[in-house]
């Protein structure tokens, strides 16, 4: 088994997982977008506003997904760490 390199975390590239589901997060905290006829649904928002600005939004845009088309944001837990990232992507 190999150890992860020290320093910056390895960031997975944005990827179409299947059909209309896209991975737009990073290795440590995942985030997914489901593209529907009514708009986009985002599952998780990463850890903070900086990650939303530097990872989440650019990853969406790299896949041709416009963050302004978000209709719903789904989070699976209550956490104060998520508040700043919600605010960043709530246009």
């Amino acid at each position: 088994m190999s150890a992860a390199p020290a320093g910056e975390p390895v960031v997975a590239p944005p990827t179409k997982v299947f059909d209309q589901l896209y991975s737009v997060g990073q290795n440590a905290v995942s985030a997914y977008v489901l593209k529907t006829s009514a708009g986009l649904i985002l599952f998780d928002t990463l850890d903070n506003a900086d990650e939303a600005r530097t990872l989440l939004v650019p990853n969406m845009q790299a896949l041709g997904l416009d963050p302004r088309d978000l209709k719903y944001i789904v989070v699976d837990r209550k956490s104060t760490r998520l508040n700043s990232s919600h605010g960043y992507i709530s246009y």
Side-chain angles (χ1 to χ4, degrees):
M1 177 175 4
S2 65
E8 293 294 316
V10 177
V11 177
T15 305
K16 183 174 185 176
V17 179
F18 62 89
D19 294 332
Q20 299 300 315
L21 182 67
Y22 301 85
S23 174
V24 294
Q26 50 149 314
N27 287 355
V29 179
S30 61
Y32 294 91
V33 173
L34 180 63
K35 186 175 181 181
T36 74
S37 59
L40 303 176
I41 302 170
L42 174 64
F43 296 89
D44 209 338
T45 57
L46 303 183
D47 283 336
N48 54 57
D50 184 56
E51 287 184 357
R53 184 181 68 255
T54 62
L55 292 172
L56 185 69
V57 170
N59 284 351
M60 290 179 66
Q61 292 169 331
L63 293 167
L65 304 170
D66 189 339
R68 293 174 293 192
D69 293 335
L70 285 170
K71 300 300 179 195
Y72 298 100
I73 299 171
V74 179
V75 292
D76 63 350
R77 65 202 173 281
K78 182 179 179 182
S79 175
T80 55
R81 72 178 173 83
L82 296 173
N83 291 339
S84 60
S85 55
H86 289 163
Y88 179 79
I89 61 172
S90 298
Y91 288 79

